[in-house]
Amino acid sequence: MDPALEASVSDALDQVEQRLHEAVKSDDAVLAAASKHLVEAGGKRFRPLLTLLAASFGDMDAPGVVPAAVVVELTHVGTLYHDDVMDEAQLRRGSPSANARWDNTVAILTGDFLFACASDILADLGPESVRLQARTFQRLVQGQLRETIGPAGGDDPVEHYLSVLADKTGSLIAASARLGAMHAGVSAEVVDVLGRFGERIGMAFQMADDLLDIVGESSISGKTPGTDLREGVATLPVLYARRLARPGDERLLQLISGPISDDAAHAEALELLRAHPAVEAARRDVRRWADDARESLISVPDVPARRTLEALCDTVVTRTS
């Protein structure tokens, strides 16, 4: 990253972090503890970073930029509380999930509280930002519902998976870029391009995460390999393994037909899946979405932020190599 840009983004991220902690304060002791639980657990802060990089195409010091970055992270963290309840997750970012530490009701209400905190900030950012957030939230809910119900009979499972990713992940990352650019005074044409970039890199980012769940090593990724596999979550490598099944894949297909509770069976499934052409097929999709994201930037000004976003496309791909 360009040194001057890096310094500006680092300073702005510090402001985002401070405002995040201020935004989730509550007079209620339980709500105060639960709402800061995941905020203090950290995370990549990928969405605020993208907000700031998009704002770098204009005036990153404009008054609405840092609040917009806070809004997207509050929204993201709020969805994590709800996701953990629906997934019955016990851990989040290496710590007990809110539903495990308290209960499902507290976790759900805490997620709602964070959405309310985001809305309070949004009210000062103007109706266009409020409308964008509302439409993004519609997509978040739609994607979660579609994932919960699963593909309808006759639907292509891979296309269903991609539609879920677009709504659950791509929509908020696209909104992150749009909000940053909008509040930095960037032209409407560049705002649209950066929004399209955000959707595409968001797809690549989530597909890479799902692929790392299969091919990653815990010492590198910090995650336990095969978590989705153990829970019976059919991500892209599993879907491709079913689509590209070969003679002799019967054992793999049996293992990935549902959740895997037995450790030996889980290890066997990981080994078989890692050696299957499905993994390379998933890698190709990550590269394709990252390449599409990079190509979408051709029409925007050649400033340091553009080169950083282009480098981000490479980083997403190399994570899964």
Side-chain angles (χ1 to χ4, degrees), residues 99-125:
N99 46 298
R101 180 170 172 180
W102 289 278
D103 58 30
N104 284 347
T105 301
V106 170
I108 292 169
L109 292 173
T110 302
D112 292 344
F113 176 71
L114 294 186
F115 296 144
C117 293
S119 296
D120 185 50
I121 298 171
L122 269 168
D124 293 327
L125 295 180

PDB file of all heavy atoms in Angstrom, residues 99-125:
ATOM      1  N   ASN A  99     -24.466 -16.634  22.190  1.00  0.00           N
ATOM      2  CA  ASN A  99     -25.528 -17.569  22.557  1.00  0.00           C
ATOM      3  C   ASN A  99     -25.019 -18.652  23.498  1.00  0.00           C
ATOM      4  O   ASN A  99     -25.777 -19.185  24.316  1.00  0.00           O
ATOM      5  CB  ASN A  99     -26.160 -18.195  21.308  1.00  0.00           C
ATOM      6  CG  ASN A  99     -25.146 -18.675  20.311  1.00  0.00           C
ATOM      7  OD1 ASN A  99     -24.370 -17.872  19.788  1.00  0.00           O
ATOM      8  ND2 ASN A  99     -25.124 -19.965  20.025  1.00  0.00           N
ATOM      9  N   ALA A 100     -23.736 -18.999  23.401  1.00  0.00           N
ATOM     10  CA  ALA A 100     -23.165 -19.990  24.318  1.00  0.00           C
ATOM     11  C   ALA A 100     -22.886 -19.359  25.681  1.00  0.00           C
ATOM     12  O   ALA A 100     -23.087 -19.991  26.718  1.00  0.00           O
ATOM     13  CB  ALA A 100     -21.881 -20.567  23.732  1.00  0.00           C
ATOM     14  N   ARG A 101     -22.424 -18.118  25.687  1.00  0.00           N
ATOM     15  CA  ARG A 101     -22.090 -17.456  26.955  1.00  0.00           C
ATOM     16  C   ARG A 101     -23.339 -17.027  27.706  1.00  0.00           C
ATOM     17  O   ARG A 101     -23.411 -17.106  28.934  1.00  0.00           O
ATOM     18  CB  ARG A 101     -21.212 -16.238  26.674  1.00  0.00           C
ATOM     19  CG  ARG A 101     -20.805 -15.484  27.918  1.00  0.00           C
ATOM     20  CD  ARG A 101     -19.755 -14.444  27.648  1.00  0.00           C
ATOM     21  NE  ARG A 101     -19.509 -13.621  28.812  1.00  0.00           N
ATOM     22  CZ  ARG A 101     -18.622 -12.625  28.864  1.00  0.00           C
ATOM     23  NH1 ARG A 101     -17.877 -12.358  27.796  1.00  0.00           N
ATOM     24  NH2 ARG A 101     -18.457 -11.911  29.957  1.00  0.00           N
ATOM     25  N   TRP A 102     -24.347 -16.530  26.972  1.00  0.00           N
ATOM     26  CA  TRP A 102     -25.605 -16.147  27.599  1.00  0.00           C
ATOM     27  C   TRP A 102     -26.675 -17.147  27.157  1.00  0.00           C
ATOM     28  O   TRP A 102     -26.726 -18.242  27.647  1.00  0.00           O
ATOM     29  CB  TRP A 102     -25.965 -14.703  27.223  1.00  0.00           C
ATOM     30  CG  TRP A 102     -25.073 -13.694  27.875  1.00  0.00           C
ATOM     31  CD1 TRP A 102     -25.172 -13.198  29.142  1.00  0.00           C
ATOM     32  CD2 TRP A 102     -23.914 -13.061  27.281  1.00  0.00           C
ATOM     33  NE1 TRP A 102     -24.167 -12.299  29.396  1.00  0.00           N
ATOM     34  CE2 TRP A 102     -23.380 -12.181  28.275  1.00  0.00           C
ATOM     35  CE3 TRP A 102     -23.284 -13.121  26.046  1.00  0.00           C
ATOM     36  CZ2 TRP A 102     -22.240 -11.397  28.048  1.00  0.00           C
ATOM     37  CZ3 TRP A 102     -22.157 -12.343  25.814  1.00  0.00           C
ATOM     38  CH2 TRP A 102     -21.645 -11.504  26.798  1.00  0.00           C
ATOM     39  N   ASP A 103     -27.512 -16.763  26.214  1.00  0.00           N
ATOM     40  CA  ASP A 103     -28.468 -17.707  25.626  1.00  0.00           C
ATOM     41  C   ASP A 103     -28.935 -17.135  24.292  1.00  0.00           C
ATOM     42  O   ASP A 103     -28.540 -16.036  23.896  1.00  0.00           O
ATOM     43  CB  ASP A 103     -29.659 -17.993  26.565  1.00  0.00           C
ATOM     44  CG  ASP A 103     -30.438 -16.748  26.960  1.00  0.00           C
ATOM     45  OD1 ASP A 103     -30.494 -15.789  26.150  1.00  0.00           O
ATOM     46  OD2 ASP A 103     -30.997 -16.721  28.067  1.00  0.00           O
ATOM     47  N   ASN A 104     -29.794 -17.890  23.591  1.00  0.00           N
ATOM     48  CA  ASN A 104     -30.221 -17.461  22.258  1.00  0.00           C
ATOM     49  C   ASN A 104     -30.956 -16.133  22.282  1.00  0.00           C
ATOM     50  O   ASN A 104     -30.771 -15.286  21.402  1.00  0.00           O
ATOM     51  CB  ASN A 104     -31.118 -18.538  21.629  1.00  0.00           C
ATOM     52  CG  ASN A 104     -30.327 -19.718  21.122  1.00  0.00           C
ATOM     53  OD1 ASN A 104     -29.106 -19.661  21.016  1.00  0.00           O
ATOM     54  ND2 ASN A 104     -31.013 -20.800  20.801  1.00  0.00           N
ATOM     55  N   THR A 105     -31.817 -15.945  23.281  1.00  0.00           N
ATOM     56  CA  THR A 105     -32.607 -14.720  23.348  1.00  0.00           C
ATOM     57  C   THR A 105     -31.719 -13.501  23.505  1.00  0.00           C
ATOM     58  O   THR A 105     -31.889 -12.480  22.811  1.00  0.00           O
ATOM     59  CB  THR A 105     -33.613 -14.794  24.512  1.00  0.00           C
ATOM     60  OG1 THR A 105     -34.481 -15.913  24.323  1.00  0.00           O
ATOM     61  CG2 THR A 105     -34.445 -13.521  24.592  1.00  0.00           C
ATOM     62  N   VAL A 106     -30.755 -13.580  24.406  1.00  0.00           N
ATOM     63  CA  VAL A 106     -29.830 -12.460  24.604  1.00  0.00           C
ATOM     64  C   VAL A 106     -29.043 -12.188  23.326  1.00  0.00           C
ATOM     65  O   VAL A 106     -28.851 -11.031  22.920  1.00  0.00           O
ATOM     66  CB  VAL A 106     -28.879 -12.742  25.786  1.00  0.00           C
ATOM     67  CG1 VAL A 106     -27.759 -11.698  25.837  1.00  0.00           C
ATOM     68  CG2 VAL A 106     -29.645 -12.752  27.099  1.00  0.00           C
ATOM     69  N   ALA A 107     -28.594 -13.245  22.652  1.00  0.00           N
ATOM     70  CA  ALA A 107     -27.822 -13.071  21.419  1.00  0.00           C
ATOM     71  C   ALA A 107     -28.659 -12.398  20.335  1.00  0.00           C
ATOM     72  O   ALA A 107     -28.182 -11.488  19.643  1.00  0.00           O
ATOM     73  CB  ALA A 107     -27.306 -14.422  20.930  1.00  0.00           C
ATOM     74  N   ILE A 108     -29.904 -12.837  20.163  1.00  0.00           N
ATOM     75  CA  ILE A 108     -30.773 -12.251  19.147  1.00  0.00           C
ATOM     76  C   ILE A 108     -31.030 -10.772  19.445  1.00  0.00           C
ATOM     77  O   ILE A 108     -30.929  -9.912  18.562  1.00  0.00           O
ATOM     78  CB  ILE A 108     -32.108 -13.018  19.059  1.00  0.00           C
ATOM     79  CG1 ILE A 108     -31.866 -14.425  18.489  1.00  0.00           C
ATOM     80  CG2 ILE A 108     -33.117 -12.265  18.191  1.00  0.00           C
ATOM     81  CD1 ILE A 108     -33.066 -15.341  18.615  1.00  0.00           C
ATOM     82  N   LEU A 109     -31.356 -10.476  20.692  1.00  0.00           N
ATOM     83  CA  LEU A 109     -31.653  -9.091  21.060  1.00  0.00           C
ATOM     84  C   LEU A 109     -30.411  -8.207  20.958  1.00  0.00           C
ATOM     85  O   LEU A 109     -30.514  -7.020  20.614  1.00  0.00           O
ATOM     86  CB  LEU A 109     -32.235  -9.037  22.474  1.00  0.00           C
ATOM     87  CG  LEU A 109     -33.630  -9.663  22.616  1.00  0.00           C
ATOM     88  CD1 LEU A 109     -34.046  -9.722  24.084  1.00  0.00           C
ATOM     89  CD2 LEU A 109     -34.652  -8.869  21.808  1.00  0.00           C
ATOM     90  N   THR A 110     -29.249  -8.771  21.222  1.00  0.00           N
ATOM     91  CA  THR A 110     -28.012  -8.003  21.079  1.00  0.00           C
ATOM     92  C   THR A 110     -27.765  -7.663  19.611  1.00  0.00           C
ATOM     93  O   THR A 110     -27.367  -6.534  19.276  1.00  0.00           O
ATOM     94  CB  THR A 110     -26.817  -8.786  21.654  1.00  0.00           C
ATOM     95  OG1 THR A 110     -27.055  -9.080  23.032  1.00  0.00           O
ATOM     96  CG2 THR A 110     -25.531  -7.980  21.522  1.00  0.00           C
ATOM     97  N   GLY A 111     -27.994  -8.630  18.731  1.00  0.00           N
ATOM     98  CA  GLY A 111     -27.889  -8.341  17.301  1.00  0.00           C
ATOM     99  C   GLY A 111     -28.845  -7.225  16.900  1.00  0.00           C
ATOM    100  O   GLY A 111     -28.470  -6.308  16.158  1.00  0.00           O
ATOM    101  N   ASP A 112     -30.074  -7.286  17.407  1.00  0.00           N
ATOM    102  CA  ASP A 112     -31.052  -6.235  17.114  1.00  0.00           C
ATOM    103  C   ASP A 112     -30.569  -4.874  17.633  1.00  0.00           C
ATOM    104  O   ASP A 112     -30.749  -3.842  16.973  1.00  0.00           O
ATOM    105  CB  ASP A 112     -32.404  -6.575  17.760  1.00  0.00           C
ATOM    106  CG  ASP A 112     -33.077  -7.777  17.122  1.00  0.00           C
ATOM    107  OD1 ASP A 112     -32.671  -8.167  16.011  1.00  0.00           O
ATOM    108  OD2 ASP A 112     -34.003  -8.331  17.744  1.00  0.00           O
ATOM    109  N   PHE A 113     -29.962  -4.893  18.812  1.00  0.00           N
ATOM    110  CA  PHE A 113     -29.448  -3.655  19.411  1.00  0.00           C
ATOM    111  C   PHE A 113     -28.371  -3.037  18.523  1.00  0.00           C
ATOM    112  O   PHE A 113     -28.347  -1.818  18.296  1.00  0.00           O
ATOM    113  CB  PHE A 113     -28.892  -3.949  20.806  1.00  0.00           C
ATOM    114  CG  PHE A 113     -28.253  -2.768  21.475  1.00  0.00           C
ATOM    115  CD1 PHE A 113     -29.018  -1.709  21.937  1.00  0.00           C
ATOM    116  CD2 PHE A 113     -26.875  -2.718  21.667  1.00  0.00           C
ATOM    117  CE1 PHE A 113     -28.435  -0.607  22.561  1.00  0.00           C
ATOM    118  CE2 PHE A 113     -26.276  -1.631  22.287  1.00  0.00           C
ATOM    119  CZ  PHE A 113     -27.049  -0.578  22.736  1.00  0.00           C
ATOM    120  N   LEU A 114     -27.485  -3.874  17.971  1.00  0.00           N
ATOM    121  CA  LEU A 114     -26.424  -3.356  17.104  1.00  0.00           C
ATOM    122  C   LEU A 114     -27.006  -2.782  15.816  1.00  0.00           C
ATOM    123  O   LEU A 114     -26.510  -1.770  15.301  1.00  0.00           O
ATOM    124  CB  LEU A 114     -25.414  -4.451  16.795  1.00  0.00           C
ATOM    125  CG  LEU A 114     -24.600  -4.973  17.981  1.00  0.00           C
ATOM    126  CD1 LEU A 114     -23.530  -5.947  17.497  1.00  0.00           C
ATOM    127  CD2 LEU A 114     -23.954  -3.848  18.764  1.00  0.00           C
ATOM    128  N   PHE A 115     -28.051  -3.416  15.280  1.00  0.00           N
ATOM    129  CA  PHE A 115     -28.713  -2.852  14.092  1.00  0.00           C
ATOM    130  C   PHE A 115     -29.307  -1.488  14.426  1.00  0.00           C
ATOM    131  O   PHE A 115     -29.252  -0.560  13.610  1.00  0.00           O
ATOM    132  CB  PHE A 115     -29.812  -3.793  13.590  1.00  0.00           C
ATOM    133  CG  PHE A 115     -29.312  -5.130  13.107  1.00  0.00           C
ATOM    134  CD1 PHE A 115     -30.054  -6.273  13.319  1.00  0.00           C
ATOM    135  CD2 PHE A 115     -28.106  -5.242  12.442  1.00  0.00           C
ATOM    136  CE1 PHE A 115     -29.608  -7.504  12.879  1.00  0.00           C
ATOM    137  CE2 PHE A 115     -27.644  -6.467  11.991  1.00  0.00           C
ATOM    138  CZ  PHE A 115     -28.393  -7.601  12.210  1.00  0.00           C
ATOM    139  N   ALA A 116     -29.865  -1.361  15.633  1.00  0.00           N
ATOM    140  CA  ALA A 116     -30.431  -0.075  16.052  1.00  0.00           C
ATOM    141  C   ALA A 116     -29.334   0.978  16.198  1.00  0.00           C
ATOM    142  O   ALA A 116     -29.517   2.150  15.822  1.00  0.00           O
ATOM    143  CB  ALA A 116     -31.193  -0.239  17.370  1.00  0.00           C
ATOM    144  N   CYS A 117     -28.188   0.565  16.731  1.00  0.00           N
ATOM    145  CA  CYS A 117     -27.059   1.496  16.857  1.00  0.00           C
ATOM    146  C   CYS A 117     -26.617   1.983  15.480  1.00  0.00           C
ATOM    147  O   CYS A 117     -26.320   3.171  15.295  1.00  0.00           O
ATOM    148  CB  CYS A 117     -25.890   0.808  17.565  1.00  0.00           C
ATOM    149  SG  CYS A 117     -26.188   0.406  19.306  1.00  0.00           S
ATOM    150  N   ALA A 118     -26.571   1.068  14.522  1.00  0.00           N
ATOM    151  CA  ALA A 118     -26.199   1.446  13.158  1.00  0.00           C
ATOM    152  C   ALA A 118     -27.207   2.420  12.570  1.00  0.00           C
ATOM    153  O   ALA A 118     -26.843   3.408  11.920  1.00  0.00           O
ATOM    154  CB  ALA A 118     -26.092   0.196  12.282  1.00  0.00           C
ATOM    155  N   SER A 119     -28.497   2.172  12.816  1.00  0.00           N
ATOM    156  CA  SER A 119     -29.553   3.044  12.285  1.00  0.00           C
ATOM    157  C   SER A 119     -29.471   4.442  12.885  1.00  0.00           C
ATOM    158  O   SER A 119     -29.742   5.438  12.201  1.00  0.00           O
ATOM    159  CB  SER A 119     -30.930   2.436  12.582  1.00  0.00           C
ATOM    160  OG  SER A 119     -31.084   1.201  11.915  1.00  0.00           O
ATOM    161  N   ASP A 120     -29.098   4.521  14.149  1.00  0.00           N
ATOM    162  CA  ASP A 120     -28.975   5.815  14.808  1.00  0.00           C
ATOM    163  C   ASP A 120     -27.895   6.663  14.126  1.00  0.00           C
ATOM    164  O   ASP A 120     -28.074   7.865  13.893  1.00  0.00           O
ATOM    165  CB  ASP A 120     -28.624   5.596  16.280  1.00  0.00           C
ATOM    166  CG  ASP A 120     -28.606   6.897  17.072  1.00  0.00           C
ATOM    167  OD1 ASP A 120     -29.574   7.665  16.979  1.00  0.00           O
ATOM    168  OD2 ASP A 120     -27.612   7.143  17.774  1.00  0.00           O
ATOM    169  N   ILE A 121     -26.783   6.038  13.788  1.00  0.00           N
ATOM    170  CA  ILE A 121     -25.712   6.750  13.084  1.00  0.00           C
ATOM    171  C   ILE A 121     -26.161   7.108  11.668  1.00  0.00           C
ATOM    172  O   ILE A 121     -25.891   8.200  11.168  1.00  0.00           O
ATOM    173  CB  ILE A 121     -24.433   5.887  13.055  1.00  0.00           C
ATOM    174  CG1 ILE A 121     -23.938   5.633  14.476  1.00  0.00           C
ATOM    175  CG2 ILE A 121     -23.342   6.558  12.213  1.00  0.00           C
ATOM    176  CD1 ILE A 121     -22.819   4.621  14.571  1.00  0.00           C
ATOM    177  N   LEU A 122     -26.843   6.161  11.020  1.00  0.00           N
ATOM    178  CA  LEU A 122     -27.306   6.381   9.651  1.00  0.00           C
ATOM    179  C   LEU A 122     -28.221   7.586   9.531  1.00  0.00           C
ATOM    180  O   LEU A 122     -28.230   8.275   8.505  1.00  0.00           O
ATOM    181  CB  LEU A 122     -28.063   5.147   9.148  1.00  0.00           C
ATOM    182  CG  LEU A 122     -27.265   4.085   8.420  1.00  0.00           C
ATOM    183  CD1 LEU A 122     -28.098   2.833   8.276  1.00  0.00           C
ATOM    184  CD2 LEU A 122     -26.823   4.589   7.049  1.00  0.00           C
ATOM    185  N   ALA A 123     -29.004   7.847  10.571  1.00  0.00           N
ATOM    186  CA  ALA A 123     -29.958   8.956  10.522  1.00  0.00           C
ATOM    187  C   ALA A 123     -29.267  10.281  10.240  1.00  0.00           C
ATOM    188  O   ALA A 123     -29.867  11.197   9.666  1.00  0.00           O
ATOM    189  CB  ALA A 123     -30.734   9.028  11.836  1.00  0.00           C
ATOM    190  N   ASP A 124     -27.991  10.387  10.646  1.00  0.00           N
ATOM    191  CA  ASP A 124     -27.240  11.625  10.411  1.00  0.00           C
ATOM    192  C   ASP A 124     -26.533  11.634   9.057  1.00  0.00           C
ATOM    193  O   ASP A 124     -25.932  12.647   8.681  1.00  0.00           O
ATOM    194  CB  ASP A 124     -26.189  11.825  11.514  1.00  0.00           C
ATOM    195  CG  ASP A 124     -26.826  12.088  12.875  1.00  0.00           C
ATOM    196  OD1 ASP A 124     -27.907  12.708  12.901  1.00  0.00           O
ATOM    197  OD2 ASP A 124     -26.254  11.664  13.890  1.00  0.00           O
ATOM    198  N   LEU A 125     -26.582  10.509   8.336  1.00  0.00           N
ATOM    199  CA  LEU A 125     -25.871  10.409   7.058  1.00  0.00           C
ATOM    200  C   LEU A 125     -26.761  10.704   5.858  1.00  0.00           C
ATOM    201  O   LEU A 125     -26.286  10.715   4.719  1.00  0.00           O
ATOM    202  CB  LEU A 125     -25.232   9.024   6.916  1.00  0.00           C
ATOM    203  CG  LEU A 125     -24.135   8.699   7.930  1.00  0.00           C
ATOM    204  CD1 LEU A 125     -23.572   7.305   7.681  1.00  0.00           C
ATOM    205  CD2 LEU A 125     -23.018   9.737   7.879  1.00  0.00           C
TER     206      LEU A 125
END
